[in-house]
Amino acid sequence: MEKSIYDASSYPIQVSNGRDIGAGHTRGCWLEFSDLANKDLGSDPIFQRALRAANARGTLVSTNKLANLYLILRYAMPDPQAHVFEFGSYMGGSAVFMATALKLLKRGSRVFAFDTFEGMPETDPVRDLHRQGDFADTKFDGLLSYIRDNELQTHLSLVKGRFDETLPGVLAEQSQGPGLLHVDCDIYEPIKYVIRACLPHLGPGSHIVFDDPLHGSCLGAFDAVQELLIRELNLTAEQAYPHLVFRYPSLPDA
Ligand SMILES: C[S@@+](CC[C@H](N)C(=O)[O-])C[C@H]1O[C@@H](n2cnc3c(N)ncnc32)[C@H](O)[C@@H]1O
């Protein structure tokens, strides 16, 4: 039977080297070369409503990246009820996008959106171009109102503060670990911190999605991925466009 990215029972599509290279190739090529976000997903009412929600709040995340997150969330997560942890939410656009999709899909899981919501903490002066205080204009009260007005409390929790101050408590409280990490915090040290802290809590084949490492302004993010995921954990990427995506723990090869 032909395998389709729009059929959750098709996954994994083709496993090699611990990741679903079939899923990575299909999502990546269709998004980059076939305008999938506008064509196929143009008539998907859940994607379209989630996209409107992201735009209503404001997001730095491109439509192709939101589409990739949607395809992973909707079809590819081995445990569809596992939570989503987002590291770096700023005005809340990508978090609201994923929470709206989860709600419309009637999932029991939620998005935990981790951010200071007051701008970047201290950054590495050599590796990072971003500086302390960047992204401080979060309009946090507006985000709280948006969540209340759209009854998203069931699917979105804001976790305000520095990751190293907030993440240990959330991990300790949750009986169910995250199944998708959306890492969009741009800078070196916090990326290494959140990945190391989450690894022991990830269920089989969890997705780790990095927004930043291939951007010109985020070499610190690439350093973190290179050092921790590639050199230390010996992982091979599942997808390189529009995101760098890894699977952890690795999928068993057929
Ligand atoms: C590029 S923005 C996130 C964009 C967002 N996902 C969107 O939809 O537009 C990066 C965010 O990471 C946050 N951040 C970076 N390091 C952090 C840390 N150690 N603790 C908490 N927040 C952090 C910043 O405050 C900033 O809001």
Side-chain angles (χ1 to χ4, degrees):
M1 197 180 69
E2 181 99 348
K3 291 193 167 191
S4 154
I5 55 164
Y6 299 120
D7 176 0
S9 67
S10 292
Y11 290 83
I13 293 176
Q14 183 192 354
V15 177
S16 163
N17 248 333
R19 53 24 210 288
D20 186 353
I21 193 169
H25 266 148
T26 315
R27 285 193 306 262
C29 288
W30 283 22
L31 283 165
E32 187 168 9
F33 304 119
S34 299
D35 199 19
L36 177 133
N38 289 316
K39 285 188 185 150
D40 295 32
L41 296 179
S43 56
D44 179 324
I46 297 182
F47 177 72
Q48 290 302 323
R49 274 184 62 186
L51 194 57
R52 281 199 294 278
N55 290 331
R57 266 313 296 164
T59 183
L60 300 173
V61 178
S62 69
T63 301
N64 265 359
K65 284 182 171 173
L66 294 173
N68 199 41
L69 285 168
Y70 178 71
L71 293 173
I72 292 170
L73 265 182
R74 178 156 188 184
Y75 302 105
M77 286 174 70
D79 176 1
Q81 300 303 335
H83 295 310
V84 176
F85 280 15
E86 176 173 88
F87 298 103
S89 299
Y90 183 36
M91 292 189 285
S94 50
V96 157
F97 170 84
M98 292 188 286
T100 302
L102 290 181
K103 184 174 176 185
L104 295 172
L105 291 168
K106 302 190 181 356
R107 296 270 176 88
S109 51
R110 59 171 56 232
V111 177
F112 290 83
F114 295 82
D115 203 298
T116 62
F117 294 106
E118 294 177 351
M120 284 279 178
E122 201 171 312
T123 65
D124 184 306
V126 176
R127 295 180 194 263
D128 300 318
L129 280 188
H130 286 296
R131 291 290 169 255
Q132 187 163 15
D134 287 359
F135 305 109
D137 54 335
T138 60
K139 304 179 180 71
F140 188 66
D141 288 343
L143 179 55
L144 293 174
S145 311
Y146 184 90
I147 293 169
R148 203 175 43 243
D149 296 348
N150 292 278
E151 297 179 354
L152 269 187
Q153 304 91 327
T154 46
H155 289 81
L156 178 55
S157 299
L158 304 183
V159 189
K160 190 173 187 308
R162 264 190 14 213
F163 305 146
D164 55 329
E165 294 165 349
T166 57
L167 179 58
V170 174
L171 285 169
E173 269 169 24
Q174 296 301 315
S175 51
Q176 160 120 42
L180 167 57
L181 306 182
H182 179 225
V183 185
D184 188 12
C185 60
D186 293 356
I187 55 177
Y188 175 74
E189 201 56 60
I191 293 182
K192 290 187 92 170
Y193 172 77
V194 299
I195 299 300
R196 273 194 206 289
C198 288
L199 286 181
H201 300 268
L202 295 177
S206 291
H207 290 78
I208 309 181
V209 178
F210 291 97
D211 185 88
D212 317 307
L214 302 176
H215 283 294
S217 56
C218 296
L219 264 182
F222 192 80
D223 277 7
V225 168
Q226 184 170 233
E227 288 173 16
L228 179 53
L229 284 96
I230 298 175
R231 289 197 193 133
E232 190 178 323
L233 298 171
N234 199 23
L235 298 179
T236 307
E238 173 168 304
Q239 192 176 354
Y241 178 89
H243 288 114
L244 260 187
V245 178
F246 290 86
R247 308 297 293 271
Y248 188 89
S250 294
L251 298 169
D253 279 16

